[in-house]
Amino acid sequence: MAFNLKTVLSIFISVCLVSSHFANRCLCSIPTFFVNGGGFTPALGTWYGDPNGAGSGGACGWADDVRLPPFSSMIAAGNANIFLQGKGCGECYQIKCSREPYCSGNPITVTITDECPGACNDVPFHFDLSGAAFGAMANPGQADNLRNLGQVDIQFQRVPCNYGRTNIAFKIDAGTNPNWFATRIEFTEGDGGLRSVEIAPAGTQEFVPMNNIWGAVWVANIDSSFKGPYSFRLTSPINAVAVAINAVPMDYVPGQTYFSNVNF
């Protein structure tokens, strides 16, 4: 698997170097190459937590929200080439396996909500799925048998995120105060990730940049004059823009989640 992957990458990089057409367009990095096309790619799949459990949103900041719709336990932790130091939080992938008689061969869709460190980086791409998501790859009646394997070769491809009627949500960090505002941003459709986030106080379109400190957590240093309700301007990695007007009320409560009326 590793040999074939290196061969494909070598050919791709060579084309990028010798062709001005591709040199102007491609970003010759592993994650971007596979995001932009090429169909399904080999990876290793494992699972963690309870057999029918939801996994975790820990490294992205979403904690137990992964149990609830629209994530609905269909999540995975990714190794370094998937998690991307937190920039991969919220990205969506189709994953399937074909090992008989366990796997159905039908793709499931998962969201990256956590990191799989350490030995997960022994292979180029490793998805550590929730128990529920791992079992969802199985043929009827084979979920437990598939999980009993512990690991299985899988195929994956990047896909747009689609959460139905769920709009972008802002979960206010418990440490937020009049001088420091922090929020975990959830359920971004389309590309799934965010290139930048800006915040504006009540009655103004003067947006102030926020900083992504880890995972899906964005923060801004403010002062007591910076009053809500707060609006947000979000830009995706492909430069799509969504503006959430008055998404967080003036009397917000740290720890609570507030839904906007927009999505990508």
Side-chain angles (χ1 to χ4, degrees):
M1 178 177 70
F3 174 80
N4 291 336
L5 180 61
K6 290 179 179 177
T7 301
V8 171
L9 287 175
S10 297
I11 294 171
F12 177 74
I13 292 170
S14 297
V15 171
C16 284
L17 292 173
V18 302
S19 169
S20 60
H21 175 76
F22 284 106
N24 290 332
R25 282 176 167 78
C26 70
L27 299 176
C28 299
S29 63
I30 292 176
T32 302
F33 173 65
F34 287 107
V35 166
N36 288 345
F40 281 94
T41 300
L44 181 65
T46 54
W47 64 279
Y48 70 109
D50 295 332
N52 293 295
S56 169
C60 291
W62 296 323
D64 290 337
D65 290 358
V66 297
R67 300 179 182 274
L68 305 174
F71 290 141
S72 301
S73 305
M74 297 299 289
I75 62 92
N79 72 348
N81 284 331
I82 300 296
F83 186 71
L84 301 176
Q85 296 181 325
K87 298 298 183 184
C89 288
E91 294 179 348
C92 295
Y93 292 87
Q94 282 188 336
I95 295 176
K96 62 182 180 179
C97 64
S98 57
R99 183 166 176 178
E100 297 180 348
Y102 312 105
C103 299
S104 70
N106 299 319
I108 63 170
T109 300
V110 297
T111 302
I112 298 301
T113 65
D114 206 353
E115 180 180 15
C116 185
C120 286
N121 293 303
D122 290 346
V123 295
F125 299 100
H126 186 143
F127 291 81
D128 199 20
L129 288 82
S130 70
F134 197 87
M137 294 190 296
N139 275 316
Q142 291 289 341
D144 287 337
N145 292 331
L146 177 60
R147 281 189 289 261
N148 286 340
L149 295 178
Q151 66 180 47
V152 67
D153 290 334
I154 61 172
Q155 300 279 321
F156 77 96
Q157 67 176 357
R158 178 85 175 275
V159 294
C161 296
N162 186 343
Y163 297 120
R165 296 183 178 182
T166 302
N167 287 324
I168 295 170
F170 300 86
K171 185 172 187 176
I172 312 305
D173 190 89
T176 292
N177 59 65
N179 298 306
W180 187 77
F181 183 87
T183 182
R184 300 139 198 262
I185 301 176
E186 301 180 311
F187 316 135
T188 54
E189 292 194 329
D191 187 79
L194 291 170
R195 180 188 298 275
S196 67
V197 177
E198 300 163 282
I199 184 172
T204 177
Q205 292 292 304
E206 297 179 3
F207 286 93
V208 176
M210 302 184 74
N211 294 316
N212 181 208
I213 56 171
W214 61 274
V217 181
W218 294 78
V219 306
N221 291 318
I222 58 175
D223 58 42
S224 58
S225 67
F226 204 89
K227 302 288 187 181
Y230 296 135
S231 299
F232 300 86
R233 183 163 60 199
L234 306 98
T235 304
S236 79
I238 58 173
N239 292 322
V241 176
V243 180
I245 302 297
N246 297 336
V248 174
M250 179 177 63
D251 57 348
Y252 67 84
V253 177
Q256 293 296 309
T257 299
Y258 299 93
F259 285 84
S260 71
N261 60 358
V262 297
N263 216 318
F264 288 103

